[in-house]
Amino acid sequence: MSKSLERYADRFEQYAERFPRILDVMMVVSLIGCAVLGTQLSLPGSRPPDSGKPTEILLGLSCLVLLKYRTHPRTVLVVVALVTLAAVTRGYLLTPLLLAPLLAALYWLAVLCEPKTVRVFGTAGVVALSTANVIADSMDGLTVLLQVIGPVFWLALPLAAGRMTQLRRAYLESVQARAEHAERTREEEARLRVTEERVRIARELHDVVAHHLALANAQAGTAAHLARRDPEQTQKILDDLTGTTSSALRELKATLGLLREDDHPRGEGLEPAPGLARLPELISACASAGLDVTVTTEGVPRPLSPGVDLTAYRIVQEALTNVSKHAAAHSAHVRFTYADSRLLITVSNDGPVGPAPRSGGFGLMGMRERAHSIGGELCAGPRPEGGFEVTTALPLQPSAAVPEGDRP
């Protein structure tokens, strides 16, 4: 039942917003009819006061004043209240029909004004009307209590109804504001997620393409250098080159496959995310490119979460790629140190330094982004004794969730 009333109320408000003047005129006509009819009523055994038409004309004019309730609700209430008090003091019976214009004025005052104003004007109206009803002789057969209860009851109804309407409007406005805010937030969050996804895919593509192309370039250069002097070693390097390019194609396909996850069952055709378990394969590929890599471990190795495992592998991969591309040295050293709650990884090379990677390059930027995404830290720079060093500290358990689908 309440839902039906709310539905009808919503329809009425929508119609009122579209055709406000039509409803106002209809309301005034109805109130004029109620007021005129109210002047014809009296208690059994008594007759209405014979005062002619002036009172009825004043009541009708007070109804016309209600057309200004939207802009001057206080003035409208005062005018209607004075006319109603005049009618009561002249002996007209106080009935809901006679009070109809005043009830309408009180309702719109409660809807359009702040609660303090409603309390002041409402209290003044109740006191004035109750006093006039007691003084008038239209209800001499009733006790003073009954003469007071009637005005209080009838005037309290529009005040309560107006307050409920005001609260309902405020609630609907707050709901609409929250909906608009949620829509804006949802759009901003969607844009942020798209940006983060673009950065993540760009980082993955850089790690895959840069690493394998650097190794392939080094392997091809070494094979060309040894082609005449050592055909057997050249053939071995060419075989490794085939494996490097095949691995690059597989990882590139897996990375681009992330963009098509909606077209296939989740995870179909994708390789597991690489981790430190594939470190021997990475070292072997570097060796075939002429880079000798040694690995040492300090502390007790502990299992890593998938996010930390992937981040550690990608940082080592990128650091070794930078050694192959930029350093003149032919050897590099990777050290893993397991502390209480962190894994410290150091990738360094000795000897003279070639063209150093730029601090704003995509490789170093990607390594820092990966470390920061799981709550780690990374620093990179030349060593005082020569060479270049990359150091990162990663938590054994990531402090921030790695984006789902963070695969090669």
Side-chain angles (χ1 to χ4, degrees):
M1 187 66 177
S2 60
K3 291 184 178 179
S4 299
L5 291 176
E6 289 182 1
R7 184 168 63 252
Y8 288 128
D10 291 339
R11 291 179 180 176
F12 180 79
E13 288 186 359
Q14 293 175 1
Y15 186 83
E17 290 178 357
R18 294 177 59 187
F19 309 102
R21 289 301 176 187
I22 295 178
L23 290 179
D24 289 348
V25 172
M26 293 173 60
M27 177 189 68
V28 168
V29 172
S30 301
L31 292 175
I32 291 175
C34 292
V36 172
L37 181 60
T39 60
Q40 308 302 317
L41 301 178
S42 61
L43 290 176
S46 61
R47 297 179 60 184
D50 187 12
S51 58
K53 299 296 182 180
T55 303
E56 297 179 11
I57 294 174
L58 285 176
L59 286 172
L61 293 177
S62 69
C63 294
L64 293 177
V65 174
L66 283 166
L67 292 173
K68 294 294 184 180
Y69 74 86
R70 299 179 188 275
T71 56
H72 302 85
R74 301 174 184 83
T75 304
V76 169
L77 175 62
V78 171
V79 172
V80 174
L82 291 176
V83 174
T84 305
L85 287 173
V88 173
T89 54
R90 293 182 67 87
Y92 286 96
L93 182 63
L94 185 64
T95 63
L97 292 175
L98 189 68
L99 289 175
L102 181 58
L103 299 181
L106 283 172
Y107 173 79
W108 290 115
L109 180 77
V111 171
L112 300 174
C113 296
E114 62 276 4
K116 182 178 179 181
T117 301
V118 175
R119 287 194 297 269
V120 172
F121 281 82
T123 303
V126 170
V127 172
L129 195 62
S130 301
T131 303
N133 196 38
V134 172
I135 295 174
D137 57 358
S138 60
M139 293 184 177
D140 288 339
L142 302 178
T143 64
V144 175
L145 181 60
L146 293 178
Q147 294 179 20
V148 172
I149 289 178
V152 172
F153 176 77
W154 290 113
L155 297 183
L157 287 180
L159 293 175
R163 180 59 178 165
M164 291 179 62
T165 302
Q166 189 182 58
L167 292 176
R168 183 172 179 273
R169 288 183 176 181
Y171 170 75
L172 293 178
E173 290 176 359
S174 66
V175 170
Q176 183 178 1
R178 287 198 299 270
E180 293 175 355
H181 176 72
E183 184 66 23
R184 290 194 302 270
T185 304
R186 187 159 48 246
E187 293 176 357
E188 293 173 0
E189 183 178 356
R191 287 195 296 269
L192 179 61
R193 288 184 178 276
V194 169
T195 302
E196 291 177 348
E197 185 67 9
R198 290 174 58 189
V199 171
R200 187 185 66 81
I201 293 176
R203 186 170 61 237
E204 289 291 345
L205 287 174
H206 175 272
D207 289 347
V208 172
V209 175
H211 168 70
H212 288 94
L213 286 183
L215 288 181
N217 181 68
Q219 289 170 336
T222 304
H225 180 70
L226 298 176
R228 295 181 179 180
R229 293 187 304 169
D230 194 344
E232 183 177 350
Q233 182 65 19
T234 300
Q235 184 61 44
K236 182 178 181 303
I237 293 175
L238 291 178
D239 292 339
D240 293 338
L241 177 60
T242 302
T244 300
T245 55
S246 299
S247 177
L249 290 175
R250 284 197 307 272
E251 291 201 29
L252 186 60
K253 180 181 178 181
T255 301
L256 296 178
L258 293 175
L259 302 177
R260 299 173 180 246
E261 283 191 345
D262 292 338
D263 299 333
H264 301 283
R266 189 167 185 78
E268 180 181 325
L270 301 180
E271 293 184 348
L276 294 180
R278 290 178 56 177
L279 190 60
E281 178 183 339
L282 176 62
I283 293 174
S284 175
C286 291
S288 66
L291 180 64
D292 184 21
V293 181
T294 58
V295 180
T296 59
T297 303
E298 300 178 4
V300 180
R302 273 170 278 177
L304 305 176
S305 67
V308 176
D309 199 19
L310 171 63
T311 300
Y313 176 82
R314 288 301 192 198
I315 289 177
V316 172
Q317 181 188 53
E318 180 61 27
L320 293 178
T321 300
N322 286 339
V323 173
S324 299
K325 291 168 57 179
H326 303 290
H330 298 286
S331 64
H333 182 68
V334 181
R335 183 172 69 252
F336 297 96
T337 303
Y338 289 86
D340 294 335
S341 60
R342 300 179 80 80
L343 170 62
L344 182 65
I345 303 176
T346 304
V347 181
S348 59
N349 64 279
D350 301 324
V353 180
R358 292 174 293 125
S359 60
F362 293 117
L364 295 179
M365 183 189 304
M367 287 191 288
R368 287 194 178 91
E369 289 175 351
R370 286 188 179 279
H372 293 164
S373 68
I374 60 171
E377 300 174 353
L378 183 139
C379 60
R383 303 172 62 195
E385 62 273 22
F388 198 84
E389 183 176 83
V390 175
T391 303
T392 181
L394 305 177
L396 295 180
Q397 295 295 329
S399 60
V402 177
E404 189 175 356
D406 199 0
R407 302 177 185 134

